[in-house]
Amino acid sequence: MEFTGATISAPFGCRALRGGGPLRTPGWGADGRRRRVSSGPGAEQWRSWKVSCVATEKPEEKAAAAAGLGVDFADEEDYVKGGGGELLYVRMQATKAMDRQSKIASKLLPITAETSVLDLIIIGCGPAGLSLAAESAKKGLTVGLIGPDLPFTNNYGVWEDEFKDLGLESCIEHVWKDTVVYLDRNKPIMIGRAYGRVQRDLLHEELLRRCHEAGVTYLNSKVEQIIESPDGHRIVYCEPDQKILCRLAIVASGAASGKLLEYEVGGPRVCVQTAYGVEVEVEHYPYDPSLMVFMDYRDCFKEKFSNPEEENPTFLYAMAMSSTRIFFEETCLASKDAMPFDLLKKRLMYRLDAMGVRILKVYEEEWSYIPVGGSLPNTDQKNLAFGAAASMVHPATGYSVVRSLSEAPRYASVISDILRNRVHSEQYLPGSSQGPSPSMLAWRTLWPPERKRQRSFFLFGLALIIQLDNEGIQTFFETFFRLPKWMWRGFLGSTLSSVDLMLFALYMFAIAPNKLRMNLVSHLLSDPTGSAMIRTYLTL
């Protein structure tokens, strides 16, 4: 793991290290066996615990640190996508115990060595993988799901209307009638849209139920490689020494999938959205609990965090589950180098102290790490992808779950048609004189020219955001939320066409203050994403 040499705050459930002892994830004993974590520390003790870590930035030491956590990466970009210097926290988040979520192996029939050639194998058991597996099996395909049997551990927030459209409203545990944004010295901005918190246990069980009813089979294993057999089938090699045959393989195992997928060379650099969250009991909540605090960018850090590496803007995101039980999260929307979780925690604690919030009890901590931007997958490769592995995360917001869930039925339908030979190559590749290439047809469906134009616009926005200071980003969002609602809602939801996005840009330029206008023009002319966006719009 990579650190700067400073101490970092210990996670909830860990103990401060003494005498240079090894760092362990919570709930694991010195012998490597799973332990039950005792009840959490008191609020003051939780705030003060520290763990000392030694800095290292050498590639070979990064690899050794990753190997020590049981993970390995294809290259430096894959390492960054997988957690980079925050890898320990990312692994801790992924392996939290969620006792109310069923084990996948207890619900789905197993893939066995005697299994014949499957139509489709999906690698990865997150929301994207489970939803695509269920939708594909509904089409009559024989579908196998492969990946570690891990629960959903992140807290998901969604616009209520979007989740209702997916038929998943029963998985929302709490709804706020409206959302609010705070910017420095300005009145609160009311968004006029209900927001919900997803009950992750219910979402996991619902997607697992759909897989079970559709006949999806499962193997609890890690995939090592995928190769093509002489007869054109895909051979999926799994630990330990297992191989499964299929007609198509889709990787849905998250952004760090470079061992199984090829990505375009020379694309934009991967940026990272990091957020430190904590669900707590408090004496007093300073906001209206009937409103969801979408962003509070008011700056209370000017004197506290003045070093250049600490100056990236962050905002507070808050969900009131009751008048005293609150989920707070301090978020860095995006940065070239991931803002460390220990710094985000310090900022959150400082912000809450400044607001007079006293924590009485800690229920849970969360470490959210979302790679944004970066290169698209190579769409000429035989292996397919979905979700974050397919670069479907919104580059400028980090949103991905709703898009994956909403696109799964259509993508499954296309995969089914391709495998059943109900489409022709010319349908997806105009002017093509070659025979159908199933993987190429699937890639063109997932990333058609229109989607690439939209993504180039979002990448331009991402590159702008990471250059703005706190005052600049406040001005940006004040202008953003003055746009017509259909514009900013469509931007956040990835529903604006490439033409709509040009209208969005012109409208925003027209209403922006002069300083932001100058930033937009300068960014368009000087940043590589500006010229890349222009080329993409003109050539696709």
mmCIF file of all heavy atoms in Angstrom, residues 311-336:
data_model
loop_
_atom_site.group_PDB
_atom_site.id
_atom_site.type_symbol
_atom_site.label_atom_id
_atom_site.label_comp_id
_atom_site.label_asym_id
_atom_site.label_seq_id
_atom_site.Cartn_x
_atom_site.Cartn_y
_atom_site.Cartn_z
ATOM 1 N N GLU A 311 -6.030 21.049 -0.868
ATOM 2 C CA GLU A 311 -6.920 22.125 -1.275
ATOM 3 C C GLU A 311 -7.997 21.713 -2.274
ATOM 4 O O GLU A 311 -8.808 22.543 -2.666
ATOM 5 C CB GLU A 311 -6.100 23.287 -1.848
ATOM 6 C CG GLU A 311 -5.312 24.029 -0.774
ATOM 7 C CD GLU A 311 -4.528 25.214 -1.335
ATOM 8 O OE1 GLU A 311 -4.429 25.326 -2.574
ATOM 9 O OE2 GLU A 311 -4.016 26.010 -0.534
ATOM 10 N N ASN A 312 -8.027 20.464 -2.731
ATOM 11 C CA ASN A 312 -9.091 20.045 -3.647
ATOM 12 C C ASN A 312 -10.449 20.234 -2.986
ATOM 13 O O ASN A 312 -10.635 19.893 -1.816
ATOM 14 C CB ASN A 312 -8.926 18.575 -4.033
ATOM 15 C CG ASN A 312 -7.835 18.370 -5.065
ATOM 16 O OD1 ASN A 312 -7.432 19.318 -5.738
ATOM 17 N ND2 ASN A 312 -7.353 17.148 -5.195
ATOM 18 N N PRO A 313 -11.421 20.780 -3.703
ATOM 19 C CA PRO A 313 -12.742 21.007 -3.100
ATOM 20 C C PRO A 313 -13.406 19.693 -2.704
ATOM 21 O O PRO A 313 -13.276 18.675 -3.392
ATOM 22 C CB PRO A 313 -13.524 21.696 -4.224
ATOM 23 C CG PRO A 313 -12.502 22.221 -5.167
ATOM 24 C CD PRO A 313 -11.343 21.270 -5.084
ATOM 25 N N THR A 314 -14.113 19.708 -1.608
ATOM 26 C CA THR A 314 -14.931 18.565 -1.196
ATOM 27 C C THR A 314 -16.288 19.094 -0.733
ATOM 28 O O THR A 314 -16.439 20.262 -0.391
ATOM 29 C CB THR A 314 -14.288 17.767 -0.050
ATOM 30 O OG1 THR A 314 -14.114 18.622 1.100
ATOM 31 C CG2 THR A 314 -12.933 17.202 -0.458
ATOM 32 N N PHE A 315 -17.267 18.208 -0.729
ATOM 33 C CA PHE A 315 -18.599 18.609 -0.295
ATOM 34 C C PHE A 315 -19.182 17.562 0.633
ATOM 35 O O PHE A 315 -18.761 16.407 0.651
ATOM 36 C CB PHE A 315 -19.528 18.831 -1.500
ATOM 37 C CG PHE A 315 -19.813 17.602 -2.318
ATOM 38 C CD1 PHE A 315 -20.882 16.764 -2.023
ATOM 39 C CD2 PHE A 315 -19.013 17.283 -3.412
ATOM 40 C CE1 PHE A 315 -21.154 15.638 -2.784
ATOM 41 C CE2 PHE A 315 -19.283 16.156 -4.189
ATOM 42 C CZ PHE A 315 -20.351 15.338 -3.873
ATOM 43 N N LEU A 316 -20.170 17.986 1.407
ATOM 44 C CA LEU A 316 -20.885 17.093 2.314
ATOM 45 C C LEU A 316 -22.150 16.593 1.634
ATOM 46 O O LEU A 316 -22.884 17.343 0.990
ATOM 47 C CB LEU A 316 -21.253 17.825 3.601
ATOM 48 C CG LEU A 316 -22.036 16.999 4.642
ATOM 49 C CD1 LEU A 316 -21.147 15.906 5.226
ATOM 50 C CD2 LEU A 316 -22.588 17.889 5.745
ATOM 51 N N TYR A 317 -22.390 15.302 1.800
ATOM 52 C CA TYR A 317 -23.579 14.605 1.291
ATOM 53 C C TYR A 317 -24.216 13.996 2.533
ATOM 54 O O TYR A 317 -23.532 13.330 3.312
ATOM 55 C CB TYR A 317 -23.082 13.558 0.311
ATOM 56 C CG TYR A 317 -24.033 12.535 -0.259
ATOM 57 C CD1 TYR A 317 -24.614 12.728 -1.506
ATOM 58 C CD2 TYR A 317 -24.277 11.319 0.392
ATOM 59 C CE1 TYR A 317 -25.424 11.754 -2.090
ATOM 60 C CE2 TYR A 317 -25.083 10.347 -0.180
ATOM 61 C CZ TYR A 317 -25.661 10.567 -1.416
ATOM 62 O OH TYR A 317 -26.455 9.597 -1.990
ATOM 63 N N ALA A 318 -25.505 14.260 2.771
ATOM 64 C CA ALA A 318 -26.095 13.817 4.036
ATOM 65 C C ALA A 318 -27.498 13.267 3.840
ATOM 66 O O ALA A 318 -28.333 13.866 3.156
ATOM 67 C CB ALA A 318 -26.119 14.971 5.040
ATOM 68 N N MET A 319 -27.738 12.112 4.474
ATOM 69 C CA MET A 319 -29.039 11.462 4.460
ATOM 70 C C MET A 319 -29.516 11.294 5.894
ATOM 71 O O MET A 319 -28.864 10.604 6.690
ATOM 72 C CB MET A 319 -28.952 10.074 3.813
ATOM 73 C CG MET A 319 -28.587 10.048 2.349
ATOM 74 S SD MET A 319 -28.370 8.315 1.816
ATOM 75 C CE MET A 319 -28.351 8.506 0.039
ATOM 76 N N ALA A 320 -30.634 11.893 6.217
ATOM 77 C CA ALA A 320 -31.215 11.754 7.552
ATOM 78 C C ALA A 320 -32.184 10.581 7.557
ATOM 79 O O ALA A 320 -33.282 10.664 7.002
ATOM 80 C CB ALA A 320 -31.923 13.041 7.955
ATOM 81 N N MET A 321 -31.768 9.476 8.177
ATOM 82 C CA MET A 321 -32.651 8.320 8.280
ATOM 83 C C MET A 321 -33.711 8.533 9.358
ATOM 84 O O MET A 321 -34.767 7.917 9.358
ATOM 85 C CB MET A 321 -31.829 7.067 8.589
ATOM 86 C CG MET A 321 -30.692 6.821 7.597
ATOM 87 S SD MET A 321 -31.253 6.769 5.880
ATOM 88 C CE MET A 321 -32.266 5.291 5.903
ATOM 89 N N SER A 322 -33.414 9.405 10.320
ATOM 90 C CA SER A 322 -34.357 9.885 11.322
ATOM 91 C C SER A 322 -33.836 11.265 11.729
ATOM 92 O O SER A 322 -32.898 11.782 11.119
ATOM 93 C CB SER A 322 -34.425 8.927 12.519
ATOM 94 O OG SER A 322 -33.240 9.008 13.290
ATOM 95 N N SER A 323 -34.404 11.838 12.743
ATOM 96 C CA SER A 323 -33.938 13.165 13.168
ATOM 97 C C SER A 323 -32.568 13.103 13.823
ATOM 98 O O SER A 323 -31.897 14.134 13.960
ATOM 99 C CB SER A 323 -34.946 13.789 14.143
ATOM 100 O OG SER A 323 -35.094 12.963 15.291
ATOM 101 N N THR A 324 -32.132 11.899 14.215
ATOM 102 C CA THR A 324 -30.831 11.781 14.889
ATOM 103 C C THR A 324 -29.908 10.728 14.289
ATOM 104 O O THR A 324 -28.718 10.717 14.600
ATOM 105 C CB THR A 324 -31.024 11.458 16.392
ATOM 106 O OG1 THR A 324 -31.763 10.236 16.521
ATOM 107 C CG2 THR A 324 -31.740 12.597 17.106
ATOM 108 N N ARG A 325 -30.435 9.836 13.460
ATOM 109 C CA ARG A 325 -29.575 8.847 12.806
ATOM 110 C C ARG A 325 -29.284 9.332 11.387
ATOM 111 O O ARG A 325 -30.192 9.403 10.541
ATOM 112 C CB ARG A 325 -30.211 7.462 12.766
ATOM 113 C CG ARG A 325 -29.295 6.420 12.099
ATOM 114 C CD ARG A 325 -29.709 5.003 12.395
ATOM 115 N NE ARG A 325 -28.845 4.042 11.714
ATOM 116 C CZ ARG A 325 -28.701 2.767 12.069
ATOM 117 N NH1 ARG A 325 -29.365 2.302 13.125
ATOM 118 N NH2 ARG A 325 -27.896 1.965 11.398
ATOM 119 N N ILE A 326 -28.004 9.617 11.115
ATOM 120 C CA ILE A 326 -27.634 10.317 9.895
ATOM 121 C C ILE A 326 -26.474 9.598 9.210
ATOM 122 O O ILE A 326 -25.543 9.125 9.865
ATOM 123 C CB ILE A 326 -27.188 11.779 10.190
ATOM 124 C CG1 ILE A 326 -28.127 12.451 11.201
ATOM 125 C CG2 ILE A 326 -27.058 12.562 8.894
ATOM 126 C CD1 ILE A 326 -29.539 12.662 10.729
ATOM 127 N N PHE A 327 -26.549 9.569 7.876
ATOM 128 C CA PHE A 327 -25.403 9.143 7.081
ATOM 129 C C PHE A 327 -24.750 10.387 6.503
ATOM 130 O O PHE A 327 -25.348 11.112 5.702
ATOM 131 C CB PHE A 327 -25.826 8.201 5.958
ATOM 132 C CG PHE A 327 -24.689 7.765 5.074
ATOM 133 C CD1 PHE A 327 -23.778 6.810 5.503
ATOM 134 C CD2 PHE A 327 -24.513 8.321 3.814
ATOM 135 C CE1 PHE A 327 -22.718 6.415 4.688
ATOM 136 C CE2 PHE A 327 -23.468 7.930 2.987
ATOM 137 C CZ PHE A 327 -22.562 6.973 3.429
ATOM 138 N N PHE A 328 -23.525 10.683 6.950
ATOM 139 C CA PHE A 328 -22.739 11.804 6.444
ATOM 140 C C PHE A 328 -21.638 11.262 5.540
ATOM 141 O O PHE A 328 -21.037 10.221 5.836
ATOM 142 C CB PHE A 328 -22.058 12.567 7.586
ATOM 143 C CG PHE A 328 -22.973 13.316 8.508
ATOM 144 C CD1 PHE A 328 -23.149 12.905 9.822
ATOM 145 C CD2 PHE A 328 -23.639 14.456 8.077
ATOM 146 C CE1 PHE A 328 -23.965 13.601 10.697
ATOM 147 C CE2 PHE A 328 -24.469 15.158 8.946
ATOM 148 C CZ PHE A 328 -24.635 14.736 10.258
ATOM 149 N N GLU A 329 -21.347 11.988 4.456
ATOM 150 C CA GLU A 329 -20.253 11.576 3.592
ATOM 151 C C GLU A 329 -19.544 12.818 3.036
ATOM 152 O O GLU A 329 -20.184 13.719 2.499
ATOM 153 C CB GLU A 329 -20.766 10.716 2.438
ATOM 154 C CG GLU A 329 -19.673 10.001 1.668
ATOM 155 C CD GLU A 329 -20.226 8.895 0.791
ATOM 156 O OE1 GLU A 329 -21.006 9.206 -0.127
ATOM 157 O OE2 GLU A 329 -19.886 7.719 1.023
ATOM 158 N N GLU A 330 -18.223 12.850 3.210
ATOM 159 C CA GLU A 330 -17.397 13.912 2.636
ATOM 160 C C GLU A 330 -16.816 13.380 1.330
ATOM 161 O O GLU A 330 -16.163 12.332 1.312
ATOM 162 C CB GLU A 330 -16.286 14.308 3.598
ATOM 163 C CG GLU A 330 -15.549 15.577 3.219
ATOM 164 C CD GLU A 330 -16.342 16.848 3.488
ATOM 165 O OE1 GLU A 330 -17.288 16.821 4.317
ATOM 166 O OE2 GLU A 330 -16.008 17.884 2.882
ATOM 167 N N THR A 331 -17.055 14.105 0.233
ATOM 168 C CA THR A 331 -16.749 13.598 -1.102
ATOM 169 C C THR A 331 -15.857 14.552 -1.877
ATOM 170 O O THR A 331 -16.119 15.757 -1.915
ATOM 171 C CB THR A 331 -18.047 13.372 -1.902
ATOM 172 O OG1 THR A 331 -18.887 12.452 -1.203
ATOM 173 C CG2 THR A 331 -17.755 12.829 -3.292
ATOM 174 N N CYS A 332 -14.839 13.996 -2.495
ATOM 175 C CA CYS A 332 -14.080 14.712 -3.517
ATOM 176 C C CYS A 332 -14.624 14.243 -4.857
ATOM 177 O O CYS A 332 -14.452 13.074 -5.221
ATOM 178 C CB CYS A 332 -12.583 14.417 -3.397
ATOM 179 S SG CYS A 332 -11.584 15.184 -4.695
ATOM 180 N N LEU A 333 -15.299 15.129 -5.587
ATOM 181 C CA LEU A 333 -16.004 14.739 -6.803
ATOM 182 C C LEU A 333 -15.078 14.070 -7.800
ATOM 183 O O LEU A 333 -15.435 13.064 -8.427
ATOM 184 C CB LEU A 333 -16.674 15.962 -7.432
ATOM 185 C CG LEU A 333 -17.561 15.716 -8.641
ATOM 186 C CD1 LEU A 333 -18.692 14.754 -8.303
ATOM 187 C CD2 LEU A 333 -18.133 17.037 -9.156
ATOM 188 N N ALA A 334 -13.875 14.584 -7.953
ATOM 189 C CA ALA A 334 -12.876 13.959 -8.833
ATOM 190 C C ALA A 334 -11.543 14.660 -8.639
ATOM 191 O O ALA A 334 -11.490 15.866 -8.385
ATOM 192 C CB ALA A 334 -13.297 14.041 -10.296
ATOM 193 N N SER A 335 -10.470 13.892 -8.746
ATOM 194 C CA SER A 335 -9.126 14.462 -8.685
ATOM 195 C C SER A 335 -8.180 13.565 -9.472
ATOM 196 O O SER A 335 -8.443 12.382 -9.670
ATOM 197 C CB SER A 335 -8.645 14.614 -7.241
ATOM 198 O OG SER A 335 -8.614 13.358 -6.588
ATOM 199 N N LYS A 336 -7.075 14.150 -9.924
ATOM 200 C CA LYS A 336 -6.103 13.381 -10.693
ATOM 201 C C LYS A 336 -5.508 12.266 -9.847
ATOM 202 O O LYS A 336 -5.281 11.155 -10.325
ATOM 203 C CB LYS A 336 -5.000 14.301 -11.212
ATOM 204 C CG LYS A 336 -5.466 15.272 -12.288
ATOM 205 C CD LYS A 336 -4.308 16.136 -12.774
ATOM 206 C CE LYS A 336 -4.764 17.109 -13.850
ATOM 207 N NZ LYS A 336 -3.651 17.985 -14.294
#
